[in-house]
Amino acid sequence: MTGSMYAAIAGLQTHMQKMNVIGNNIANANTYGFKPGVTSFSESMYTSISNSTAGGTQYGGTNASQIGYGSQVASIDLNMTGGTYAPTGINSHLYLDGNGFFMVGAKPEEPLTYEADPNNLTLKRVGNFSLDSDGYLVDSNGYCVYGFMPRGNDDNSIMMTGDDIVWDTCLRPIRLPVAAPAGLQDVAEGTAIYPTVNTTGDNSLSYAGTTGADPNNRVDVQSVNLSVDKNGVITAVTQSGAPITVGVIPIGSVVNPNGLTKESDGYYKAGNNAGDVVVGTCGGVVGGSQDVSLNNVAQAGNDGWVAITGAGTTQILSGGLESSKTDIATEFADLITTQRGFQANTKIITVTDEMLSDLVSMKR
C-alpha cells in the first residue's frame, strides 16, 4: 500500500521541478535572448506482479501485471528558436536573424593573441556590444567579441584582392585599428594602420616601416559611430571624418544547440553532445574565394585546415536585440496543469494515509 505514497512523492518532486522551470521562464519573460526550458516527464521503474506468458495448447497467453512507482523528470530542453527583433536604437546592439551565436571570450593578456580553437570561446545570442576604453568591442560583462580583422600591406594599408578585403582568419578580439604614430612615411599621424600577418609562421602581427606603432593607441572612434552591415562587417567613421574598416563578426554554430550547456547571463558552452563549434560568416564574407581556413591555413587538405563556412540565411541586424522567447500564455497554461498535478499527488498521500490508519484501527 505504501507504493502509492512513494509514487505520489515522486510525482510531487517532478511537479516541483517543472514548477521551478516555469517560474524561471516567467521571471525571464523580458530578458533579452532568453531561451525557455521545456520539461518532460517519464514513468519511473516498475514492479511486476506477474510476467507475461505465451499461449499453449490449452490456454491462451497472458499479459504482464506491473505497478509503477511514479514519475521522473526525463529532460529539461531549451527552446532555441530565435526571438523577435527588439529595437533599442543603439548602433552597436546586434540581432541575429537566424541560427548561430556570437563568440566572446576574456580579454587576452597580450594584445595580439588569437584563439586557435573556437570551442574554447563562449557563445551568446544577445549582441549588447559597445567599445571599451581600450578600443575592444565588448559585451555588457566586459567579454571581448572575437572575429576577423583586415590584414595590412607593407605600407600599413588594408590588403585587397580586387574589391575584396583580405582578412586575417585568426579569431582575435575585435579592436579598433592602431593610430599611426608621428613621422610614419606617407601616413598622416592618427590615421588607421593595419598590421601584416606572419601567415607562414606563428600568425604574429607587425606594423611595417615603423617601430613606433603603439598597439594600445587606437584611432579615435566612438560606439555611436560604428556601423554593422547584414554580413557582420564593422565600419566606422573617425572623429576626423575618415571611414575605416574595423573587422567582421563571424557566427559560431553547433549541430545540436540543445546540447549546449547554459550558463548565467545568456552564455552557452559547447558540451559533449552539442558538437564542435563551426565558424562561418554571413554572406560568405571570409573564406571561400580566398581559399583559406581558420588560422590562415591556406589550401584545403593541409594540416590544420578548418574551413570557414557560410552562415546559411543568417543575417545581422544592428540597432536592436533579440527578445525573450518566453510565451506567457503557454507558461500560464503549464502553471495551472502543473499545480493541478501537484494537488492530485498530495491527495494520493492523504488518502493512502487514511487507508493505513484504517488498517491500524482494525487491531483495536
Side-chain angles (χ1 to χ4, degrees):
M1 188 181 295
T2 56
S4 62
M5 190 170 289
Y6 289 135
I9 291 172
L12 291 175
Q13 291 174 335
T14 53
H15 281 81
M16 276 305 304
Q17 293 283 19
K18 185 172 182 178
M19 188 64 74
N20 292 337
V21 174
I22 293 171
N24 185 57
N25 291 345
I26 294 176
N28 288 282
N30 291 305
T31 301
Y32 288 123
F34 177 74
K35 304 301 181 186
V38 180
T39 309
S40 59
F41 296 165
S42 66
E43 301 165 285
S44 193
M45 63 180 182
Y46 280 81
T47 296
S48 295
I49 297 177
S50 62
N51 296 322
S52 61
T53 61
T57 56
Q58 290 184 314
Y59 302 100
T62 60
N63 296 326
S65 298
Q66 296 177 293
I67 297 177
Y69 285 92
S71 60
Q72 59 185 351
V73 175
S75 65
I76 302 175
D77 298 313
L78 295 177
N79 180 359
M80 297 300 292
T81 307
T84 57
Y85 178 81
T88 62
I90 300 175
N91 290 349
S92 57
H93 281 182
L94 304 179
Y95 167 79
L96 284 177
D97 184 14
N99 299 322
F101 301 84
F102 299 111
M103 294 177 288
V104 300
K107 184 182 292 186
E109 295 181 3
E110 297 294 331
L112 307 181
T113 302
Y114 70 96
E115 179 52 67
D117 185 0
N119 290 303
N120 294 330
L121 297 175
T122 301
L123 307 177
K124 67 178 304 185
R125 290 281 301 183
V126 184
N128 49 347
F129 305 139
S130 63
L131 292 175
D132 72 357
S133 59
D134 295 325
Y136 286 101
L137 186 66
V138 298
D139 67 7
S140 59
N141 291 318
Y143 286 103
C144 295
V145 182
Y146 277 69
F148 304 125
M149 288 178 285
R151 288 170 55 182
N153 291 306
D154 289 339
D155 61 356
N156 300 297
S157 62
I158 291 181
M159 185 182 294
M160 304 287 291
T161 300
D163 295 329
D164 297 326
I165 294 174
V166 178
W167 300 94
D168 169 19
T169 63
C170 292
L171 283 169
R172 307 183 196 264
I174 295 177
R175 197 179 186 190
L176 293 176
V178 168
L184 188 61
Q185 185 177 2
D186 298 327
V187 179
E189 182 179 0
T191 302
I193 58 176
Y194 299 87
T196 58
V197 184
N198 183 7
T199 57
T200 60
D202 58 359
N203 284 313
S204 60
L205 308 181
S206 59
Y207 293 88
T210 179
T211 58
D214 181 1
N216 293 312
N217 183 25
R218 299 285 155 169
V219 293
D220 191 7
V221 172
Q222 298 179 354
S223 293
V224 293
N225 293 330
L226 289 181
S227 175
V228 183
D229 69 12
K230 65 180 182 180
N231 293 327
V233 177
I234 308 171
T235 55
V237 177
T238 65
Q239 297 302 308
S240 63
I244 60 172
T245 300
V246 178
V248 60
I249 299 175
I251 304 299
S253 59
V254 293
V255 174
N256 176 25
N258 280 322
L260 295 171
T261 301
K262 191 173 186 179
E263 300 179 343
S264 60
D265 295 321
Y267 297 120
Y268 301 88
K269 293 293 288 186
N272 294 331
N273 197 39
D276 291 331
V277 177
V278 177
V279 179
T281 54
C282 300
V285 172
V286 181
S289 61
Q290 295 183 16
D291 196 29
V292 293
S293 73
L294 280 176
N295 306 322
N296 299 312
V297 177
Q299 299 179 354
N302 284 356
D303 291 340
W305 176 272
V306 180
I308 300 172
T309 67
T313 58
T314 300
Q315 295 181 342
I316 295 177
L317 305 180
S318 63
L321 299 173
E322 181 179 6
S323 62
S324 172
K325 193 58 184 176
T326 296
D327 186 331
I328 292 294
T330 299
E331 298 301 330
F332 271 36
D334 287 346
L335 184 71
I336 294 170
T337 57
T338 303
Q339 180 188 23
R340 292 292 180 263
F342 186 89
Q343 289 175 338
N345 279 279
T346 61
K347 188 64 175 176
I348 292 295
I349 294 177
T350 302
V351 172
T352 302
D353 180 63
E354 292 175 354
M355 293 172 67
L356 289 171
S357 296
D358 292 341
L359 187 62
V360 171
S361 298
M362 289 174 62
K363 184 180 178 182
R364 298 175 183 173

